[in-house]
């Protein structure tokens, strides 16, 4: 390790230590959230190693079968099994997104009306693989709550230069004037307006028809320079270049138009779909342009006519992921120079910054010695912490994440991805945080702690975040400020959800669940559910299916914000037996603490009878429901018999006035 890198690491370590010691996050509650845990205006000390929000993704390349499918002509079941294994790898590494190449060479991984089936699927361009890979991939990614970013290459037609090898129906065969050969490859001509419209149409077909989360382009616009060969577009410039004094500015404008127009078309059809580009890591060198970076490498502005800085400043895109594929201390293009430069570029814009990581270099044969250090990749993410504009990383590529050479990926995950993370919110895309869900049951069993919950309100939830806090509460607001207590995110299916947690140690834990919309706006947290692991704990709400019964004399209300879950039951007092019952499957005859939850109101009953069915007969505890609502109220500890039966009843038989309330019951072994 050189002196420069050693000095940098020491400086970074001291800076991160200072940030950790003094790092404060202010958590601000949405209106009306004060009755929920984890919200309020609170200064919280957060841990940069467990950020609440961070994009974590990997590229899955299809061109030349780099990642998936592993070869051409595989059976549908083999292809699907391979893809599932990539998604499982992403989930195991606590990633939350995948970027999948679905249009590598002017072809398609879906039944496109514009372009042929990709040869990388079947080995022969235009041959149907027998299923819809894109529909399958999106569904599988979402089932694991991974965002699916569809990766397109706008202009590359083939990795060879023989048009006759393309299927006869290929648009490049139908319109030979649309393409040119350069560097042994075929490209659509970016200078032709009809080409620019066509490639947009081809990509928009996937945007319109599939539930993708993002449109992603890599760094191929005009081709990279190939020796002294000139791009054969002089005639195109003569025909379409009016108003431009030189061909370079015209080429840049052609790419600018593609970026600007595609962004507008995406937002017109699906405003929530993100548009991101992963360009070459250097825009221009400062020796050429004072706005450039202190580097001396290839300049994408000049070499491939990609004015990446302008795309950010004009906010034509939602995120940018520069391929900063060099190590810390590399003289021509230092990672420690380029990350601050890109951070300054996005500062003051709404464009999010993620860093493209050269995972493929780590431990690979023939790479610079710096890439033989297992800590190199982890050190990149450590440096990123000094730049709050950096909101995550994408690893190239999936096979290198799996290879984990030198254990470098495992080290990065241990240092930076030890907890799950929510995807950063792009505020300009809108969205609305759903209402808080309510936990309807929380039971500790041999398989772990199983939580069930009900969505709150009418807003649609796309996913849920599950938090586990040690102890029985109340939960401090700062428990939600970072991901220290975040244990999982779960894709939404209808209005209910479930998750089984397996805590590493026995003890008492409080679980909370929050809801997120598809743009990752998060609700306030649910009311906590306390579970004793190594013992027994169960919550039964009045909405828990098959666990609550009441006659038609009991009404339903959601009036009080102190309710547990979506609503509660109420009835007028009467001198007759008409209880509302909570049924619980008691695992063994033993002592159990019984608690009830109810909303309170000055007009409710002052002596609501609660009947507990114990081994020594029924016991009645009267509760003043005029006060003390919106929390768990202990009735006492009782010996209950094993079995599945009505354990707690709320009776209407009282001499007091005002409604009696039945809302939720919690039973915990002691």
């Amino acid at each position: 390790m050189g002196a420069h890198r050693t000095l940098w690491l020491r400086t970074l370590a001291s800076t991160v230590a200072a940030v950790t010691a003094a790092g404060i996050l202010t958590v601000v509650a949405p209106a009306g959230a004060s009755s929920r845990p984890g919200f309020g205006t609170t200064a919280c000390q957060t841990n940069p190693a467990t950020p609440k929000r961070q994009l974590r993704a990997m590229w899955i390349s299809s061109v030349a079968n780099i990642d998936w499918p592993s070869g051409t002509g595989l059976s549908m079941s083999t292809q699907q099994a391979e893809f599932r294994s990539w998604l499982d790898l992403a989930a195991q590494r606590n990633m939350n997104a995948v970027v999948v190449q679905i249009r590598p060479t002017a072809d398609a991984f879906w039944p496109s009306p514009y372009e042929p089936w990709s040869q990388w699927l079947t080995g022969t361009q235009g041959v149907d693989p027998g299923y819809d890979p894109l529909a399958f991939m999106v569904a599988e990614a979402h089932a694991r709550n991974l965002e699916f970013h569809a990766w397109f290459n706008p202009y590359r037609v083939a990795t060879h230069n023989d048009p006759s090898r393309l299927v006869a129906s290929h648009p490049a065969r139908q319109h030979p004037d649309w393409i040119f050969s350069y560097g042994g490859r075929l490209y659509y001509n970016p200078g032709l307006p009809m080409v620019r419209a066509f490639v947009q149409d081809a990509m928009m077909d996937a945007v319109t028809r599939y539930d993708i989360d993002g449109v992603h382009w890599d760094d191929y616009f005009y081709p990279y320079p190939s020796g002294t060969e000139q791009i054969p577009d002089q005639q195109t410039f003569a025909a379409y270049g009016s108003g431009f004094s030189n061909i370079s500015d015209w080429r840049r404008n052609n790419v600018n138009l593609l970026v600007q127009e595609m962004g507008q078309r995406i937002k017109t059809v699906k405003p929530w779909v993100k548009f991101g580009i992963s360009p070459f890591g250097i825009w221009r060198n400062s020796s050429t342009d004072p706005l450039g970076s202190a580097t001396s490498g290839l300049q994408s502005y000049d070499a491939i006519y990609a004015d990446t800085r302008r795309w950010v400043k004009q906010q034509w895109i939602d995120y940018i992921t520069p391929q900063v594929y060099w190590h810390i201390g590399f003289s021509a293009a230092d990672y420690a120079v380029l990350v601050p430069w890109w951070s300054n570029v996005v500062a003051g814009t709404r464009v999010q910054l993620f860093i493209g990581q050269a995972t493929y270099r780590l431990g690979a044969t023939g790479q610079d010695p710096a890439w033989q250090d297992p800590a190199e990749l982890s050190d990149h993410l450590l440096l990123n912490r000094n730049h709050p504009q950096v909101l995550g990383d994408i690893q190239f590529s999936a096979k290198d994440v799996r290879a984990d050479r030198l254990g470098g990926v495992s080290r990065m995950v241990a240092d930076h991805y030890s907890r799950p993370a929510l995807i950063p919110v792009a505020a300009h895309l809108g969205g609305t945080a759903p209402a808080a869900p309510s936990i309807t049951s929380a039971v500790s069993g041999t398989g772990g702690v199983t939580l069930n919950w009900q969505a709150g309100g009418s807003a649609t939830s796309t996913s849920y975040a599950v938090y586990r806090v040690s102890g029985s509460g109340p939960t401090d607001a700062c428990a939600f400020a970072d991901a220290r207590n975040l244990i999982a995110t779960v894709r939404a299916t209808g209005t209910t959800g479930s998750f089984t947690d397996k805590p590493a140690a026995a003890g008492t834990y409080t679980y909370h669940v929050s809801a997120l919309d598809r743009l990752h706006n998060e609700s306030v947290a649910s009311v906590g559910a306390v579970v004793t692991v190594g013992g027994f704990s169960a919550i039964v709400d009045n909405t828990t299916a098959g666990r609550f019964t009441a006659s038609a004399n009991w009404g339903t209300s959601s009036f009080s914000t102190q309710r547990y879950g979506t609503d509660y039951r109420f009835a007028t007092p009467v001198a007759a037996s008409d209880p509302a019952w909570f049924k619980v499957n008691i695992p063994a005859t033993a002592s159990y603490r019984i608690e009830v939850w109810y909303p309170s109101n000055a007009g409710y009953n002052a002596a609501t009878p609660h009947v507990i069915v114990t081994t020594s007969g029924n016991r009645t505890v009267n509760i003043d429901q005029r006060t003390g609502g919106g929390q768990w109220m202990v009735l006492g500890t009782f010996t209950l018999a094993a079995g599945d039966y009505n354990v707690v009843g709320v009776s209407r038989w009282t001499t007091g006035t005002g409604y009696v309330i039945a809302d939720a019951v919690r039973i915990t072994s002691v």
Side-chain angles (χ1 to χ4, degrees), residues 127-471:
V127 173
D128 190 331
Y131 72 110
D132 185 338
L134 183 52
F136 163 77
M137 291 188 291
V138 171
E140 290 290 326
H142 285 171
R144 293 160 178 79
N145 203 31
L146 298 167
E147 275 201 337
F148 186 96
H149 291 232
W151 170 14
F152 305 87
N153 189 291
Y155 288 127
R156 183 172 59 201
V157 173
T159 54
H160 57 77
N161 63 356
D162 182 1
S164 69
R165 290 172 58 185
L166 302 174
V167 66
S169 61
H170 197 291
R173 292 281 297 275
Q174 301 297 311
H175 304 277
D177 55 315
W178 282 10
I179 63 174
F180 60 68
S181 173
Y182 181 84
R185 299 185 175 192
L186 295 176
Y187 298 89
Y188 281 128
N189 188 340
L192 295 173
M194 64 285 290
V195 163
R196 190 171 71 247
F198 172 79
V199 299
Q200 289 179 41
D201 289 343
M203 292 182 284
M204 285 301 301
D205 180 62
V207 175
T208 303
R209 293 169 54 197
Y210 297 87
D211 189 24
I212 64 175
D213 300 290
V215 169
H216 185 95
W217 292 350
D218 54 20
D219 56 323
Y220 289 98
F221 297 98
Y222 277 87
Y224 277 89
S226 178
T228 59
E229 185 178 357
Q230 297 297 308
I231 297 174
D233 64 347
Q234 287 74 24
Q235 291 184 354
T236 312
F237 176 53
Y240 296 100
S242 61
F244 292 90
S245 59
N246 66 77
I247 197 170
S248 294
D249 287 343
W250 171 73
R251 287 171 179 165
R252 271 185 291 274
N253 185 65
N254 292 331
V255 180
N256 288 343
L257 287 172
L258 178 74
V259 173
Q260 186 177 19
E261 291 170 1
M262 188 67 182
Q264 291 170 343
R265 291 185 66 174
I266 293 168
K267 293 302 181 284
T268 298
V269 174
K270 291 183 176 179
W272 60 87
V273 172
K274 303 165 191 173
F275 180 29
I277 299 179
S278 176
F280 184 75
I282 299 173
W283 172 68
R284 299 190 95 184
N285 301 314
S286 57
S287 59
T288 302
D289 189 322
L291 295 176
S293 53
T295 51
S296 56
L298 179 142
Q299 303 175 115
S300 59
Y301 178 94
D302 304 276
I304 56 175
Y305 310 101
D307 192 355
T308 53
R309 185 178 182 276
R310 184 176 184 185
W311 306 341
V312 173
K313 294 301 185 183
Q314 294 294 325
Q315 302 181 132
W316 292 338
I317 56 180
D318 299 308
Y319 71 84
I320 194 160
T321 307
Q323 298 173 23
V324 189
Y325 284 176
W326 305 284
H327 62 80
I328 295 167
F330 182 56
S331 59
D334 190 343
Y335 185 93
V337 168
L338 282 163
V339 167
W341 185 86
W342 281 105
S343 297
N344 288 332
V345 169
V346 303
T349 75
R350 67 189 187 194
V351 178
Q352 296 182 319
L353 173 62
F354 313 124
I355 303 298
Q357 298 290 348
T359 320
Y360 71 96
R361 292 185 183 270
L362 187 63
T365 303
Q367 293 293 336
D368 187 285
W371 290 103
Q372 304 308 316
D373 181 354
E376 180 67 33
L377 192 57
S378 182
D379 287 345
H380 287 198
L381 273 66
L382 183 64
L383 184 148
N384 291 356
R385 293 183 191 174
N386 274 353
H387 304 282
Q389 294 85 1
V390 178
L391 299 177
D393 302 87
I394 306 179
Q395 312 290 328
F396 187 84
S397 68
K399 65 181 178 60
D400 303 291
V401 173
R402 174 176 286 168
D404 193 16
R405 290 179 297 273
L406 306 178
V409 171
S410 292
R411 180 165 181 165
M412 177 200 72
V413 170
D415 292 345
H416 306 281
Y417 294 0
S418 64
R419 310 296 295 175
L422 308 182
I423 288 177
V425 171
H428 69 281
L429 297 182
T432 303
S438 57
I439 298 175
T440 55
S441 66
V443 179
S444 177
T446 56
V449 176
T450 300
L451 304 175
N452 289 281
W453 59 82
Q454 175 77 36
S458 59
T460 301
S461 302
T462 301
S463 63
Y464 297 94
V466 182
Y467 298 87
R468 182 186 67 219
V469 182
S470 294

Side-chain angles (χ1 to χ4, degrees), residues 74-76 79 108-109 117-118 121-122 126-133:
L74 301 178
S75 68
M76 177 181 72
Q79 287 184 1
F109 274 57
W117 284 105
S118 176
L121 282 168
T122 62
V127 173
D128 190 331
Y131 72 110
D132 185 338

Side-chain angles (χ1 to χ4, degrees), residues 416-666:
H416 306 281
Y417 294 0
S418 64
R419 310 296 295 175
L422 308 182
I423 288 177
V425 171
H428 69 281
L429 297 182
T432 303
S438 57
I439 298 175
T440 55
S441 66
V443 179
S444 177
T446 56
V449 176
T450 300
L451 304 175
N452 289 281
W453 59 82
Q454 175 77 36
S458 59
T460 301
S461 302
T462 301
S463 63
Y464 297 94
V466 182
Y467 298 87
R468 182 186 67 219
V469 182
S470 294
S472 58
T475 301
D476 183 82
C478 293
F480 305 97
D482 60 18
R484 76 189 81 169
N485 297 307
L486 179 63
I487 58 171
T489 64
V490 180
R491 196 72 177 182
T493 53
T495 59
T496 61
S498 65
F499 176 73
T500 298
D501 178 38
K502 296 182 179 180
T508 299
Y509 302 95
T510 301
Y511 288 88
H512 298 271
V513 179
S514 64
L516 300 99
D517 70 355
R518 71 169 305 139
L519 288 166
H520 310 285
N521 295 286
E522 186 182 23
S523 76
V524 295
S526 71
V527 172
V530 178
V531 177
T532 300
V533 177
F536 169 83
S537 182
I539 294 176
V540 178
D541 187 23
N542 68 285
T543 60
T544 304
R547 296 279 124 187
F548 177 86
T549 55
S551 73
N553 297 316
W554 287 80
T556 302
S557 175
S558 58
F559 171 75
S560 176
T561 58
Q562 291 183 346
R563 66 186 181 273
Y564 188 98
T566 57
D567 55 42
Y568 53 96
R569 307 298 292 273
F570 67 94
T572 55
V574 62
S577 179
D578 183 23
W581 282 106
F582 294 86
K583 186 178 183 181
V584 183
N585 190 356
I586 304 299
T589 300
S591 294
Y592 296 87
R593 181 178 64 252
I594 296 181
E595 301 162 277
V596 294
W597 184 292
Y598 58 89
S600 59
N601 185 281
Y604 289 168
N605 201 278
T608 299
H610 288 69
V611 180
I612 302 97
V613 180
T614 76
T615 56
S616 58
N618 292 353
R619 299 275 302 277
T620 301
V621 178
N622 294 328
I623 296 293
D624 184 350
Q625 294 187 322
R626 297 175 302 176
T627 61
Q631 60 185 321
W632 291 111
M633 178 69 70
V634 177
L635 298 185
T637 299
F638 306 88
T639 302
L640 306 180
D644 193 8
Y645 58 96
N646 291 331
V647 177
V648 179
V650 180
S651 174
R652 299 174 62 198
W653 200 330
T654 175
T655 58
T657 59
Y659 290 132
V660 296
I661 306 297
D663 195 350
V665 167
R666 180 167 72 188

